[in-house]
Amino acid sequence: MLETVEQETGASPQWSIIWLHGLGADGHDFAPIVPELVRPGWPALRFVFPHAPVRPITINNGVPMRGWYDIVGMDFRSRADMDGVRASVAGLEALVAREIERGIAAEHIFLAGFSQGGAVILTAALAWTAPLAGLIALSTYLPEAEAAHRIEAAVQAPVFMAHGAQDPVIPLPVAEHSADALRSLGLDVEWHRYPMAHQVCAEEIHALGDWLQLRLSAG
């Protein structure tokens, strides 16, 4: 089981958000976003921020750092080590199973990810058959989008996808292509673009709060 940082916004949470960080960060990276995102009147939430394993990253001269998979080149069509992606998907599945064991209904679990973390959750969604509340994909892309396929029984979960127009790490056209690929595979993608680099911004957090508000109130 992956080590995690956790925050609960109230007693006996009935909703969970499992949030995967980006390359070189750790589970503490997005913990400060919780008070900025959560709104009065929301049900109690458990935020789960796992730490990725430490692994050598090829494009960084093999320097070990926390990463959900190795990056083997610059071409977005083949840069992700898919064995590593699949291993991280398995780790994510274990975290979801633990939330269900702790009393959270599967349909009350959101999967979120930034950059590498987002690539993992988007890959997972194409073969995930259990219910989910939704997917939050920030400054990210779908690995091997041209060859991606979605199994027939995959979950129908709404996707909030946001990206920076000046992102130097994952160029905007790569993210837009990924959003189009996800839509062509049958996912409901709500797309947002912001005048920022490889980061998050206040306007994005507000829009994500609106998106969550609709789903938390409906559930």
Side-chain angles (χ1 to χ4, degrees), residues 56-80:
I57 302 298
T58 299
I59 65 163
N60 288 346
N61 297 315
V63 174
M65 61 184 63
R66 291 196 182 276
W68 298 108
Y69 53 88
D70 188 18
I71 299 175
V72 298
M74 299 305 295
D75 189 338
F76 279 90
R77 292 171 295 182
S78 58
R79 68 180 296 174

Side-chain angles (χ1 to χ4, degrees), residues 10-131:
S12 303
Q14 294 302 306
W15 295 80
S16 292
I17 301 179
I18 302 173
W19 199 309
L20 307 189
H21 60 76
L23 178 65
D26 63 20
H28 295 283
D29 196 37
F30 277 91
I33 207 172
V34 173
E36 299 180 44
L37 178 63
V38 174
R39 299 181 180 179
W42 282 9
L45 299 166
R46 178 184 296 124
F47 285 83
V48 178
F49 300 103
H51 300 302
V54 175
R55 68 181 76 225
I57 302 298
T58 299
I59 65 163
N60 288 346
N61 297 315
V63 174
M65 61 184 63
R66 291 196 182 276
W68 298 108
Y69 53 88
D70 188 18
I71 299 175
V72 298
M74 299 305 295
D75 189 338
F76 279 90
R77 292 171 295 182
S78 58
R79 68 180 296 174
D81 164 34
M82 293 307 294
D83 287 339
V85 173
R86 285 186 283 269
S88 289
V89 169
L92 180 61
E93 290 173 346
L95 290 174
V96 169
R98 187 179 67 171
E99 289 307 291
I100 293 171
E101 289 173 1
R102 293 201 283 185
I104 307 294
E107 58 269 24
H108 282 190
I109 298 174
F110 293 93
L111 304 181
F114 177 83
S115 196
Q116 265 207 348
V120 170
I121 69 159
L122 291 177
T123 301
L126 300 182
W128 204 287
T129 56

